[in-house]
Amino acid sequence: MNIEVRLSSSVRTFGLFSEGDTHAGRLDIRSPRILMINDDPSKSRILSNYLEQHEIRVTLASQKQDVVRHFAAGEPSLVVLDLPLGHGVGLDLLREIRSRSNVPVILTTGHRSDEIDRVVGLELGADDYMTEPFGVRELLARIRAVLRRWERSRIASQRDAAKGCCRFGGWQLDRRARRLTNSVGESVPLTKGEYALLLAFLDAPQRPLSREHLLQATRVHEDVFDRSIDVQIHRLRRKLEIDPSAPRIIETERGVGYVFALPVERI
């Protein structure tokens, strides 16, 4: 089990927590509820005990049937999904989750070299990514950070609903309906990340925006895999640009980041 536990001086070993030990009974029902999907029971128990000590409720799952059942019983506040559940199974579960919900997801893996998993996981809608070995305190900090960003995003989405529509070029974005339409009125679907990225550009048209700014706007942790913003830019360009290889709407600002080149009309 390739995971570090860095606790206080009085709590340092895996063996401190017994299999049946739990603090869930003392947790407030208003505490965040984490669904932890992992096929290593020992690792799951260590992590869940630590999180429950810090006022986070944890539900454990190890296979797809468990995930479907837990989502049917009520959506969790956040999912911690371990990718080494079997070849492709982890990413299949992420697709299943995204088909049901926009709940935030943190991916974990012990395979440091599997860069493609990072790219695919983030493209499928993961919110953060951790590679073992990591400390339980870092996991707790990541969970709290993602939940804070999620709450800010939820509040911002409520504000967006009152902002109406934006026009740029021949495009229109209805922020109430979260619907993008092209010049002939056809709806163009956007992923959660693409929508957040487009909003960041529309809120600051014709201004150079750094990659760090765009990472924050799309809720992807800058320590995770910062090239993911380039992936999102590429995907958004393919939907907006006539020729994505020669972009006229989302232009690269060398040494800075990107700029949304069109004026934006708010209606």
PDB file of all heavy atoms in Angstrom, residues 89-123:
ATOM      1  N   VAL A  89     -11.430   0.583 -15.211  1.00  0.00           N
ATOM      2  CA  VAL A  89     -12.627   0.608 -14.381  1.00  0.00           C
ATOM      3  C   VAL A  89     -12.808   1.960 -13.702  1.00  0.00           C
ATOM      4  O   VAL A  89     -13.917   2.496 -13.621  1.00  0.00           O
ATOM      5  CB  VAL A  89     -12.581  -0.513 -13.320  1.00  0.00           C
ATOM      6  CG1 VAL A  89     -13.757  -0.400 -12.358  1.00  0.00           C
ATOM      7  CG2 VAL A  89     -12.603  -1.870 -14.011  1.00  0.00           C
ATOM      8  N   GLY A  90     -11.692   2.535 -13.211  1.00  0.00           N
ATOM      9  CA  GLY A  90     -11.784   3.815 -12.525  1.00  0.00           C
ATOM     10  C   GLY A  90     -12.346   4.905 -13.413  1.00  0.00           C
ATOM     11  O   GLY A  90     -13.240   5.658 -13.006  1.00  0.00           O
ATOM     12  N   LEU A  91     -11.851   5.002 -14.639  1.00  0.00           N
ATOM     13  CA  LEU A  91     -12.343   6.021 -15.561  1.00  0.00           C
ATOM     14  C   LEU A  91     -13.775   5.723 -16.000  1.00  0.00           C
ATOM     15  O   LEU A  91     -14.566   6.644 -16.223  1.00  0.00           O
ATOM     16  CB  LEU A  91     -11.421   6.122 -16.776  1.00  0.00           C
ATOM     17  CG  LEU A  91     -10.019   6.682 -16.478  1.00  0.00           C
ATOM     18  CD1 LEU A  91      -9.159   6.656 -17.741  1.00  0.00           C
ATOM     19  CD2 LEU A  91     -10.093   8.085 -15.917  1.00  0.00           C
ATOM     20  N   ASP A  92     -14.127   4.447 -16.111  1.00  0.00           N
ATOM     21  CA  ASP A  92     -15.521   4.098 -16.413  1.00  0.00           C
ATOM     22  C   ASP A  92     -16.446   4.564 -15.299  1.00  0.00           C
ATOM     23  O   ASP A  92     -17.551   5.057 -15.553  1.00  0.00           O
ATOM     24  CB  ASP A  92     -15.660   2.584 -16.603  1.00  0.00           C
ATOM     25  CG  ASP A  92     -15.084   2.104 -17.929  1.00  0.00           C
ATOM     26  OD1 ASP A  92     -14.868   2.956 -18.813  1.00  0.00           O
ATOM     27  OD2 ASP A  92     -14.842   0.889 -18.061  1.00  0.00           O
ATOM     28  N   LEU A  93     -15.991   4.419 -14.051  1.00  0.00           N
ATOM     29  CA  LEU A  93     -16.791   4.890 -12.927  1.00  0.00           C
ATOM     30  C   LEU A  93     -16.926   6.411 -12.944  1.00  0.00           C
ATOM     31  O   LEU A  93     -17.985   6.954 -12.613  1.00  0.00           O
ATOM     32  CB  LEU A  93     -16.176   4.436 -11.601  1.00  0.00           C
ATOM     33  CG  LEU A  93     -16.449   2.990 -11.202  1.00  0.00           C
ATOM     34  CD1 LEU A  93     -15.665   2.621  -9.948  1.00  0.00           C
ATOM     35  CD2 LEU A  93     -17.944   2.775 -10.947  1.00  0.00           C
ATOM     36  N   LEU A  94     -15.849   7.105 -13.334  1.00  0.00           N
ATOM     37  CA  LEU A  94     -15.929   8.560 -13.445  1.00  0.00           C
ATOM     38  C   LEU A  94     -16.959   8.956 -14.497  1.00  0.00           C
ATOM     39  O   LEU A  94     -17.757   9.881 -14.291  1.00  0.00           O
ATOM     40  CB  LEU A  94     -14.555   9.130 -13.784  1.00  0.00           C
ATOM     41  CG  LEU A  94     -14.478  10.650 -13.965  1.00  0.00           C
ATOM     42  CD1 LEU A  94     -15.000  11.387 -12.741  1.00  0.00           C
ATOM     43  CD2 LEU A  94     -13.046  11.075 -14.284  1.00  0.00           C
ATOM     44  N   ARG A  95     -16.972   8.250 -15.630  1.00  0.00           N
ATOM     45  CA  ARG A  95     -17.982   8.525 -16.660  1.00  0.00           C
ATOM     46  C   ARG A  95     -19.391   8.284 -16.100  1.00  0.00           C
ATOM     47  O   ARG A  95     -20.324   9.052 -16.363  1.00  0.00           O
ATOM     48  CB  ARG A  95     -17.750   7.631 -17.884  1.00  0.00           C
ATOM     49  CG  ARG A  95     -16.499   7.949 -18.671  1.00  0.00           C
ATOM     50  CD  ARG A  95     -16.437   7.117 -19.946  1.00  0.00           C
ATOM     51  NE  ARG A  95     -15.204   7.339 -20.679  1.00  0.00           N
ATOM     52  CZ  ARG A  95     -14.108   6.606 -20.529  1.00  0.00           C
ATOM     53  NH1 ARG A  95     -14.103   5.573 -19.676  1.00  0.00           N
ATOM     54  NH2 ARG A  95     -13.029   6.877 -21.220  1.00  0.00           N
ATOM     55  N   GLU A  96     -19.543   7.196 -15.351  1.00  0.00           N
ATOM     56  CA  GLU A  96     -20.847   6.882 -14.749  1.00  0.00           C
ATOM     57  C   GLU A  96     -21.289   7.982 -13.802  1.00  0.00           C
ATOM     58  O   GLU A  96     -22.455   8.410 -13.803  1.00  0.00           O
ATOM     59  CB  GLU A  96     -20.744   5.548 -13.999  1.00  0.00           C
ATOM     60  CG  GLU A  96     -22.008   5.138 -13.246  1.00  0.00           C
ATOM     61  CD  GLU A  96     -23.120   4.681 -14.159  1.00  0.00           C
ATOM     62  OE1 GLU A  96     -22.830   4.303 -15.316  1.00  0.00           O
ATOM     63  OE2 GLU A  96     -24.283   4.706 -13.721  1.00  0.00           O
ATOM     64  N   ILE A  97     -20.361   8.463 -12.986  1.00  0.00           N
ATOM     65  CA  ILE A  97     -20.685   9.540 -12.043  1.00  0.00           C
ATOM     66  C   ILE A  97     -21.081  10.801 -12.796  1.00  0.00           C
ATOM     67  O   ILE A  97     -22.079  11.452 -12.466  1.00  0.00           O
ATOM     68  CB  ILE A  97     -19.483   9.812 -11.114  1.00  0.00           C
ATOM     69  CG1 ILE A  97     -19.273   8.635 -10.154  1.00  0.00           C
ATOM     70  CG2 ILE A  97     -19.678  11.104 -10.314  1.00  0.00           C
ATOM     71  CD1 ILE A  97     -17.968   8.674  -9.410  1.00  0.00           C
ATOM     72  N   ARG A  98     -20.302  11.147 -13.820  1.00  0.00           N
ATOM     73  CA  ARG A  98     -20.599  12.366 -14.570  1.00  0.00           C
ATOM     74  C   ARG A  98     -21.916  12.270 -15.347  1.00  0.00           C
ATOM     75  O   ARG A  98     -22.541  13.284 -15.634  1.00  0.00           O
ATOM     76  CB  ARG A  98     -19.450  12.681 -15.534  1.00  0.00           C
ATOM     77  CG  ARG A  98     -18.300  13.395 -14.841  1.00  0.00           C
ATOM     78  CD  ARG A  98     -18.696  14.828 -14.483  1.00  0.00           C
ATOM     79  NE  ARG A  98     -17.770  15.407 -13.518  1.00  0.00           N
ATOM     80  CZ  ARG A  98     -17.980  15.462 -12.216  1.00  0.00           C
ATOM     81  NH1 ARG A  98     -19.098  14.994 -11.708  1.00  0.00           N
ATOM     82  NH2 ARG A  98     -17.104  16.008 -11.413  1.00  0.00           N
ATOM     83  N   SER A  99     -22.338  11.066 -15.685  1.00  0.00           N
ATOM     84  CA  SER A  99     -23.631  10.913 -16.360  1.00  0.00           C
ATOM     85  C   SER A  99     -24.789  11.168 -15.405  1.00  0.00           C
ATOM     86  O   SER A  99     -25.909  11.423 -15.846  1.00  0.00           O
ATOM     87  CB  SER A  99     -23.748   9.506 -16.965  1.00  0.00           C
ATOM     88  OG  SER A  99     -23.929   8.518 -15.950  1.00  0.00           O
ATOM     89  N   ARG A 100     -24.501  11.096 -14.111  1.00  0.00           N
ATOM     90  CA  ARG A 100     -25.544  11.257 -13.106  1.00  0.00           C
ATOM     91  C   ARG A 100     -25.483  12.598 -12.384  1.00  0.00           C
ATOM     92  O   ARG A 100     -26.501  13.078 -11.879  1.00  0.00           O
ATOM     93  CB  ARG A 100     -25.438  10.153 -12.038  1.00  0.00           C
ATOM     94  CG  ARG A 100     -25.656   8.748 -12.567  1.00  0.00           C
ATOM     95  CD  ARG A 100     -25.314   7.692 -11.535  1.00  0.00           C
ATOM     96  NE  ARG A 100     -25.633   6.364 -12.025  1.00  0.00           N
ATOM     97  CZ  ARG A 100     -26.803   5.769 -11.861  1.00  0.00           C
ATOM     98  NH1 ARG A 100     -27.748   6.379 -11.173  1.00  0.00           N
ATOM     99  NH2 ARG A 100     -27.030   4.570 -12.350  1.00  0.00           N
ATOM    100  N   SER A 101     -24.291  13.192 -12.304  1.00  0.00           N
ATOM    101  CA  SER A 101     -24.119  14.314 -11.392  1.00  0.00           C
ATOM    102  C   SER A 101     -22.898  15.144 -11.752  1.00  0.00           C
ATOM    103  O   SER A 101     -21.962  14.662 -12.401  1.00  0.00           O
ATOM    104  CB  SER A 101     -23.968  13.771  -9.959  1.00  0.00           C
ATOM    105  OG  SER A 101     -23.553  14.772  -9.064  1.00  0.00           O
ATOM    106  N   ASN A 102     -22.877  16.389 -11.281  1.00  0.00           N
ATOM    107  CA  ASN A 102     -21.705  17.257 -11.375  1.00  0.00           C
ATOM    108  C   ASN A 102     -20.974  17.337 -10.047  1.00  0.00           C
ATOM    109  O   ASN A 102     -20.195  18.273  -9.827  1.00  0.00           O
ATOM    110  CB  ASN A 102     -22.115  18.659 -11.826  1.00  0.00           C
ATOM    111  CG  ASN A 102     -22.335  18.743 -13.325  1.00  0.00           C
ATOM    112  OD1 ASN A 102     -21.681  18.044 -14.096  1.00  0.00           O
ATOM    113  ND2 ASN A 102     -23.259  19.588 -13.738  1.00  0.00           N
ATOM    114  N   VAL A 103     -21.220  16.386  -9.157  1.00  0.00           N
ATOM    115  CA  VAL A 103     -20.558  16.364  -7.863  1.00  0.00           C
ATOM    116  C   VAL A 103     -19.038  16.427  -8.061  1.00  0.00           C
ATOM    117  O   VAL A 103     -18.498  15.813  -8.983  1.00  0.00           O
ATOM    118  CB  VAL A 103     -20.946  15.082  -7.078  1.00  0.00           C
ATOM    119  CG1 VAL A 103     -20.507  13.840  -7.815  1.00  0.00           C
ATOM    120  CG2 VAL A 103     -20.373  15.099  -5.675  1.00  0.00           C
ATOM    121  N   PRO A 104     -18.303  17.200  -7.238  1.00  0.00           N
ATOM    122  CA  PRO A 104     -16.843  17.256  -7.408  1.00  0.00           C
ATOM    123  C   PRO A 104     -16.177  15.914  -7.160  1.00  0.00           C
ATOM    124  O   PRO A 104     -16.602  15.141  -6.296  1.00  0.00           O
ATOM    125  CB  PRO A 104     -16.405  18.303  -6.379  1.00  0.00           C
ATOM    126  CG  PRO A 104     -17.528  18.431  -5.421  1.00  0.00           C
ATOM    127  CD  PRO A 104     -18.775  18.096  -6.169  1.00  0.00           C
ATOM    128  N   VAL A 105     -15.116  15.637  -7.923  1.00  0.00           N
ATOM    129  CA  VAL A 105     -14.405  14.362  -7.853  1.00  0.00           C
ATOM    130  C   VAL A 105     -12.913  14.618  -7.724  1.00  0.00           C
ATOM    131  O   VAL A 105     -12.345  15.403  -8.490  1.00  0.00           O
ATOM    132  CB  VAL A 105     -14.673  13.496  -9.100  1.00  0.00           C
ATOM    133  CG1 VAL A 105     -13.850  12.208  -9.044  1.00  0.00           C
ATOM    134  CG2 VAL A 105     -16.160  13.179  -9.237  1.00  0.00           C
ATOM    135  N   ILE A 106     -12.274  13.954  -6.757  1.00  0.00           N
ATOM    136  CA  ILE A 106     -10.822  13.953  -6.632  1.00  0.00           C
ATOM    137  C   ILE A 106     -10.332  12.565  -7.031  1.00  0.00           C
ATOM    138  O   ILE A 106     -10.769  11.561  -6.477  1.00  0.00           O
ATOM    139  CB  ILE A 106     -10.368  14.275  -5.200  1.00  0.00           C
ATOM    140  CG1 ILE A 106     -10.789  15.696  -4.809  1.00  0.00           C
ATOM    141  CG2 ILE A 106      -8.846  14.116  -5.063  1.00  0.00           C
ATOM    142  CD1 ILE A 106     -10.443  16.066  -3.379  1.00  0.00           C
ATOM    143  N   LEU A 107      -9.432  12.494  -8.004  1.00  0.00           N
ATOM    144  CA  LEU A 107      -8.845  11.228  -8.430  1.00  0.00           C
ATOM    145  C   LEU A 107      -7.562  10.971  -7.648  1.00  0.00           C
ATOM    146  O   LEU A 107      -6.790  11.890  -7.379  1.00  0.00           O
ATOM    147  CB  LEU A 107      -8.520  11.262  -9.921  1.00  0.00           C
ATOM    148  CG  LEU A 107      -9.669  11.456 -10.903  1.00  0.00           C
ATOM    149  CD1 LEU A 107      -9.131  11.466 -12.327  1.00  0.00           C
ATOM    150  CD2 LEU A 107     -10.720  10.371 -10.743  1.00  0.00           C
ATOM    151  N   THR A 108      -7.332   9.707  -7.287  1.00  0.00           N
ATOM    152  CA  THR A 108      -6.062   9.305  -6.688  1.00  0.00           C
ATOM    153  C   THR A 108      -5.520   8.105  -7.462  1.00  0.00           C
ATOM    154  O   THR A 108      -6.281   7.308  -8.013  1.00  0.00           O
ATOM    155  CB  THR A 108      -6.220   8.915  -5.203  1.00  0.00           C
ATOM    156  OG1 THR A 108      -7.065   7.758  -5.094  1.00  0.00           O
ATOM    157  CG2 THR A 108      -6.833  10.052  -4.402  1.00  0.00           C
ATOM    158  N   THR A 109      -4.199   8.000  -7.492  1.00  0.00           N
ATOM    159  CA  THR A 109      -3.578   6.861  -8.162  1.00  0.00           C
ATOM    160  C   THR A 109      -2.176   6.659  -7.638  1.00  0.00           C
ATOM    161  O   THR A 109      -1.539   7.595  -7.160  1.00  0.00           O
ATOM    162  CB  THR A 109      -3.516   7.056  -9.692  1.00  0.00           C
ATOM    163  OG1 THR A 109      -2.951   5.897 -10.293  1.00  0.00           O
ATOM    164  CG2 THR A 109      -2.680   8.254 -10.063  1.00  0.00           C
ATOM    165  N   GLY A 110      -1.696   5.438  -7.719  1.00  0.00           N
ATOM    166  CA  GLY A 110      -0.333   5.133  -7.327  1.00  0.00           C
ATOM    167  C   GLY A 110       0.604   5.103  -8.509  1.00  0.00           C
ATOM    168  O   GLY A 110       1.789   4.837  -8.356  1.00  0.00           O
ATOM    169  N   HIS A 111       0.088   5.401  -9.714  1.00  0.00           N
ATOM    170  CA  HIS A 111       0.891   5.299 -10.932  1.00  0.00           C
ATOM    171  C   HIS A 111       1.323   6.692 -11.357  1.00  0.00           C
ATOM    172  O   HIS A 111       0.654   7.359 -12.127  1.00  0.00           O
ATOM    173  CB  HIS A 111       0.092   4.618 -12.040  1.00  0.00           C
ATOM    174  CG  HIS A 111      -0.356   3.242 -11.660  1.00  0.00           C
ATOM    175  ND1 HIS A 111       0.496   2.175 -11.623  1.00  0.00           N
ATOM    176  CD2 HIS A 111      -1.564   2.775 -11.265  1.00  0.00           C
ATOM    177  CE1 HIS A 111      -0.166   1.092 -11.237  1.00  0.00           C
ATOM    178  NE2 HIS A 111      -1.408   1.438 -11.012  1.00  0.00           N
ATOM    179  N   ARG A 112       2.458   7.139 -10.837  1.00  0.00           N
ATOM    180  CA  ARG A 112       2.934   8.494 -11.086  1.00  0.00           C
ATOM    181  C   ARG A 112       3.157   8.778 -12.567  1.00  0.00           C
ATOM    182  O   ARG A 112       3.030   9.904 -13.032  1.00  0.00           O
ATOM    183  CB  ARG A 112       4.228   8.719 -10.309  1.00  0.00           C
ATOM    184  CG  ARG A 112       4.773  10.136 -10.385  1.00  0.00           C
ATOM    185  CD  ARG A 112       6.041  10.269  -9.563  1.00  0.00           C
ATOM    186  NE  ARG A 112       5.790  10.037  -8.163  1.00  0.00           N
ATOM    187  CZ  ARG A 112       5.368  10.976  -7.301  1.00  0.00           C
ATOM    188  NH1 ARG A 112       5.166  12.193  -7.739  1.00  0.00           N
ATOM    189  NH2 ARG A 112       5.157  10.680  -6.039  1.00  0.00           N
ATOM    190  N   SER A 113       3.517   7.758 -13.341  1.00  0.00           N
ATOM    191  CA  SER A 113       3.890   7.985 -14.734  1.00  0.00           C
ATOM    192  C   SER A 113       2.711   7.979 -15.697  1.00  0.00           C
ATOM    193  O   SER A 113       2.878   8.275 -16.867  1.00  0.00           O
ATOM    194  CB  SER A 113       4.904   6.918 -15.181  1.00  0.00           C
ATOM    195  OG  SER A 113       4.307   5.622 -15.093  1.00  0.00           O
ATOM    196  N   ASP A 114       1.515   7.644 -15.208  1.00  0.00           N
ATOM    197  CA  ASP A 114       0.370   7.529 -16.108  1.00  0.00           C
ATOM    198  C   ASP A 114      -0.236   8.907 -16.390  1.00  0.00           C
ATOM    199  O   ASP A 114      -1.317   9.252 -15.918  1.00  0.00           O
ATOM    200  CB  ASP A 114      -0.693   6.599 -15.518  1.00  0.00           C
ATOM    201  CG  ASP A 114      -0.285   5.142 -15.625  1.00  0.00           C
ATOM    202  OD1 ASP A 114       0.744   4.880 -16.259  1.00  0.00           O
ATOM    203  OD2 ASP A 114      -0.991   4.288 -15.070  1.00  0.00           O
ATOM    204  N   GLU A 115       0.476   9.709 -17.194  1.00  0.00           N
ATOM    205  CA  GLU A 115       0.015  11.055 -17.520  1.00  0.00           C
ATOM    206  C   GLU A 115      -1.297  11.024 -18.275  1.00  0.00           C
ATOM    207  O   GLU A 115      -2.149  11.892 -18.105  1.00  0.00           O
ATOM    208  CB  GLU A 115       1.089  11.769 -18.339  1.00  0.00           C
ATOM    209  CG  GLU A 115       0.744  13.196 -18.713  1.00  0.00           C
ATOM    210  CD  GLU A 115       1.871  13.861 -19.471  1.00  0.00           C
ATOM    211  OE1 GLU A 115       2.949  14.056 -18.879  1.00  0.00           O
ATOM    212  OE2 GLU A 115       1.676  14.175 -20.660  1.00  0.00           O
ATOM    213  N   ILE A 116      -1.488  10.012 -19.112  1.00  0.00           N
ATOM    214  CA  ILE A 116      -2.722   9.945 -19.899  1.00  0.00           C
ATOM    215  C   ILE A 116      -3.940   9.835 -19.001  1.00  0.00           C
ATOM    216  O   ILE A 116      -5.001  10.381 -19.312  1.00  0.00           O
ATOM    217  CB  ILE A 116      -2.663   8.756 -20.900  1.00  0.00           C
ATOM    218  CG1 ILE A 116      -3.858   8.804 -21.852  1.00  0.00           C
ATOM    219  CG2 ILE A 116      -2.605   7.423 -20.166  1.00  0.00           C
ATOM    220  CD1 ILE A 116      -3.886  10.030 -22.742  1.00  0.00           C
ATOM    221  N   ASP A 117      -3.803   9.141 -17.844  1.00  0.00           N
ATOM    222  CA  ASP A 117      -4.924   9.063 -16.910  1.00  0.00           C
ATOM    223  C   ASP A 117      -5.291  10.442 -16.385  1.00  0.00           C
ATOM    224  O   ASP A 117      -6.468  10.755 -16.179  1.00  0.00           O
ATOM    225  CB  ASP A 117      -4.584   8.138 -15.739  1.00  0.00           C
ATOM    226  CG  ASP A 117      -4.683   6.668 -16.109  1.00  0.00           C
ATOM    227  OD1 ASP A 117      -5.204   6.381 -17.197  1.00  0.00           O
ATOM    228  OD2 ASP A 117      -4.244   5.824 -15.314  1.00  0.00           O
ATOM    229  N   ARG A 118      -4.271  11.269 -16.146  1.00  0.00           N
ATOM    230  CA  ARG A 118      -4.546  12.633 -15.683  1.00  0.00           C
ATOM    231  C   ARG A 118      -5.352  13.394 -16.728  1.00  0.00           C
ATOM    232  O   ARG A 118      -6.366  14.022 -16.415  1.00  0.00           O
ATOM    233  CB  ARG A 118      -3.236  13.384 -15.432  1.00  0.00           C
ATOM    234  CG  ARG A 118      -2.357  12.807 -14.344  1.00  0.00           C
ATOM    235  CD  ARG A 118      -1.180  13.745 -14.130  1.00  0.00           C
ATOM    236  NE  ARG A 118      -0.240  13.206 -13.155  1.00  0.00           N
ATOM    237  CZ  ARG A 118       0.730  13.910 -12.611  1.00  0.00           C
ATOM    238  NH1 ARG A 118       0.886  15.169 -12.963  1.00  0.00           N
ATOM    239  NH2 ARG A 118       1.547  13.365 -11.734  1.00  0.00           N
ATOM    240  N   VAL A 119      -4.885  13.342 -17.976  1.00  0.00           N
ATOM    241  CA  VAL A 119      -5.545  14.084 -19.048  1.00  0.00           C
ATOM    242  C   VAL A 119      -6.978  13.600 -19.230  1.00  0.00           C
ATOM    243  O   VAL A 119      -7.926  14.395 -19.248  1.00  0.00           O
ATOM    244  CB  VAL A 119      -4.758  13.952 -20.367  1.00  0.00           C
ATOM    245  CG1 VAL A 119      -5.506  14.624 -21.512  1.00  0.00           C
ATOM    246  CG2 VAL A 119      -3.375  14.558 -20.213  1.00  0.00           C
ATOM    247  N   VAL A 120      -7.152  12.295 -19.355  1.00  0.00           N
ATOM    248  CA  VAL A 120      -8.492  11.746 -19.577  1.00  0.00           C
ATOM    249  C   VAL A 120      -9.388  12.032 -18.371  1.00  0.00           C
ATOM    250  O   VAL A 120     -10.550  12.440 -18.526  1.00  0.00           O
ATOM    251  CB  VAL A 120      -8.422  10.226 -19.854  1.00  0.00           C
ATOM    252  CG1 VAL A 120      -9.829   9.638 -19.947  1.00  0.00           C
ATOM    253  CG2 VAL A 120      -7.663   9.957 -21.147  1.00  0.00           C
ATOM    254  N   GLY A 121      -8.857  11.833 -17.166  1.00  0.00           N
ATOM    255  CA  GLY A 121      -9.652  12.084 -15.968  1.00  0.00           C
ATOM    256  C   GLY A 121     -10.126  13.520 -15.872  1.00  0.00           C
ATOM    257  O   GLY A 121     -11.296  13.793 -15.584  1.00  0.00           O
ATOM    258  N   LEU A 122      -9.230  14.469 -16.157  1.00  0.00           N
ATOM    259  CA  LEU A 122      -9.610  15.886 -16.106  1.00  0.00           C
ATOM    260  C   LEU A 122     -10.567  16.239 -17.231  1.00  0.00           C
ATOM    261  O   LEU A 122     -11.499  17.031 -17.038  1.00  0.00           O
ATOM    262  CB  LEU A 122      -8.362  16.760 -16.156  1.00  0.00           C
ATOM    263  CG  LEU A 122      -7.472  16.674 -14.908  1.00  0.00           C
ATOM    264  CD1 LEU A 122      -6.121  17.331 -15.164  1.00  0.00           C
ATOM    265  CD2 LEU A 122      -8.150  17.303 -13.706  1.00  0.00           C
ATOM    266  N   GLU A 123     -10.371  15.658 -18.402  1.00  0.00           N
ATOM    267  CA  GLU A 123     -11.306  15.909 -19.505  1.00  0.00           C
ATOM    268  C   GLU A 123     -12.697  15.369 -19.196  1.00  0.00           C
ATOM    269  O   GLU A 123     -13.707  15.931 -19.625  1.00  0.00           O
ATOM    270  CB  GLU A 123     -10.786  15.284 -20.800  1.00  0.00           C
ATOM    271  CG  GLU A 123      -9.659  16.057 -21.455  1.00  0.00           C
ATOM    272  CD  GLU A 123      -9.334  15.547 -22.842  1.00  0.00           C
ATOM    273  OE1 GLU A 123      -9.610  14.358 -23.113  1.00  0.00           O
ATOM    274  OE2 GLU A 123      -8.826  16.329 -23.646  1.00  0.00           O
TER     275      GLU A 123
END
